Structure formats: C-alpha cells, structure tokens
C-alpha cells in the first residue's frame, strides 16, 4: 500500500506494537490542536476530548486487538486510524488523526481509502464513527467520504453525531 505524491513518498501500512508510542504522540498532537481550535471558536469554553486522556496501554491494546493503519512519510508516522469490529460486518472508525502539519493535504482521505479497501477485503458492510457536530470542517470531511449522520446526542458534553457509511 503505497501512495506517491509529487513532493513525498507516503506509505500506508498496518501498525505494529513498536508504533505505539509514535501513535500515542500523534494522537496527543492532533487532538490538542483540535481542542485549541475549538477553544478559540468557543471563547475559551473547555473542550473535553477522550483522545487526549488516552493512555499508551490503550494504543497497545488496539494494536493487539484491532486494525490499526498508519500513514508514514519516511520513518515518521503522520496519520493513523483504528478499526474495531463491533458486530458482524460492522466496524467502528476511531482515533482518526492526521498530524497538524500534514492536515489539509488529502492525506487523511488517502489513509481513509486504504481503510475502506481493507474493510472490503474483510467483506464489511458498514463503517460507523462518532464525531463532533460543532465543527463544520469535520462535518464536510465526513460527508465527503460518504458518511451520513444518523443520530445525535450530547452524552459527552458536546453535540456529536453517529455517522455511518455503507462499504459494500
């Protein structure tokens, strides 16, 4: 799984246990940047994000038990996502992150397409995720990837949606 840009050689691969620390650091950077943007938009209202509280052991558990894909630029992990089978033929996309310096270059979409290809190999039918409905950029991004918002809730202290995409 290699994707080549005119500027760089990006490679998508399955994560391994040795990637745990780099993935953990990526998550902290990507979600801290998101929280800062949200704070600026909300005049200092604190955004609670469970990704920022995630421990290294949780990353290791996902590497051992779920599908973890990483996008690299050389030796650097610049994006990652995790796929957890939550019922037969249905997967949850979680902890989808792109390093702030690599955002808005199509790399998240590139990594996501590799995830869809992997799910097709597994004969998955649906992919779902939860995401904030307070960030127009995220809403547009997920709609552009073919997700539809099926329901909303405020259980995490902010408005979020359950987004679903048909795979097959």
């Amino acid at each position: 799984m290699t994707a080549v840009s005119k500027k760089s050689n990006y490679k998508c691969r399955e994560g391994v246990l040795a990637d745990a620390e780099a993935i953990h650091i990526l998550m902290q950077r990507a979600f801290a940047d998101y929280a800062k943007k949200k704070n600026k938009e909300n005049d200092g209202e604190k955004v609670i994000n469970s990704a920022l509280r995630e421990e290294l052991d949780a990353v290791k558990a996902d590497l051992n038990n779920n599908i973890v894909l990483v996008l690299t630029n050389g030796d650097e992990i610049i994006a990652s996502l995790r796929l957890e089978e939550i019922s037969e033929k249905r997967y949850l996309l979680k902890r989808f992150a792109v390093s702030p310096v690599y955002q808005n270059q199509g790399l998240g979409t590139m990594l996501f397409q590799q995830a869809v290809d992997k799910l097709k190999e597994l004969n998955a039918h649906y992919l779902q995720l939860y995401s904030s409905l307070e960030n127009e950029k995220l809403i547009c991004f997920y709609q552009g990837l073919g997700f539809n918002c099926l329901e909303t809730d405020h259980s995490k202290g902010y408005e979020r949606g359950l987004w679903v995409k048909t795979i097959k």
Side-chain angles (χ1 to χ4, degrees), residues 9 13 15 19 43 62-64 68 77 100 140:
N9 186 28
R13 62 174 172 80
D19 296 327
D43 289 331
D62 275 335
L63 284 161
N64 284 325
V68 179
I77 293 176
C140 291

Side-chain angles (χ1 to χ4, degrees), residues 19 33 35 37 53-54 77-78 98 101 115 119 139 150-151:
D19 296 327
D33 187 61
K37 289 176 187 171
R53 295 188 307 257
E54 182 177 56
I77 293 176
I78 60 171
V98 178
V101 297
L119 291 171
I139 292 168
L150 296 185
E151 62 185 53

Side-chain angles (χ1 to χ4, degrees), residues 4 10 21 23 27 33 47 56 73 87 103-104 106 120 126 130 136 138 143 148-149 156 158-160 168:
V4 179
Y10 300 109
E21 188 173 350
I23 292 170
M27 295 302 303
D33 187 61
V47 174
L56 181 59
N73 184 10
S87 65
Q103 291 177 5
N104 302 310
K120 285 179 179 178
Y126 301 101
Y130 292 94
E136 189 65 34
L138 276 178
Q143 287 174 332
N148 293 302
C149 186
K156 300 287 184 176
Y158 60 93
E159 187 177 21
R160 71 180 190 148
K168 56 182 253 181

Side-chain angles (χ1 to χ4, degrees), residues 45-76:
E45 180 183 327
K46 188 171 182 180
V47 174
I48 304 298
N49 191 307
S50 60
L52 291 173
R53 295 188 307 257
E54 182 177 56
E55 300 289 332
L56 181 59
D57 285 343
V59 178
K60 291 178 181 179
D62 275 335
L63 284 161
N64 284 325
N65 301 310
N66 297 310
I67 299 165
V68 179
L69 296 180
V70 297
L71 185 67
T72 61
N73 184 10
D75 292 334
E76 179 185 10

Side-chain angles (χ1 to χ4, degrees), residues 105-124:
Q105 299 176 40
L107 300 173
T109 302
M110 182 187 302
L111 179 60
F112 179 77
Q113 188 54 55
Q114 295 297 322
V116 169
D117 292 346
K118 180 72 172 173
L119 291 171
K120 285 179 179 178
E121 289 173 17
L122 298 170
N123 199 29

Side-chain angles (χ1 to χ4, degrees), residues 131-135 152-161:
S131 183
S132 170
L133 294 175
E134 298 175 359
N135 184 317
T152 64
D153 72 49
H154 288 82
S155 64
K156 300 287 184 176
Y158 60 93
E159 187 177 21
R160 71 180 190 148

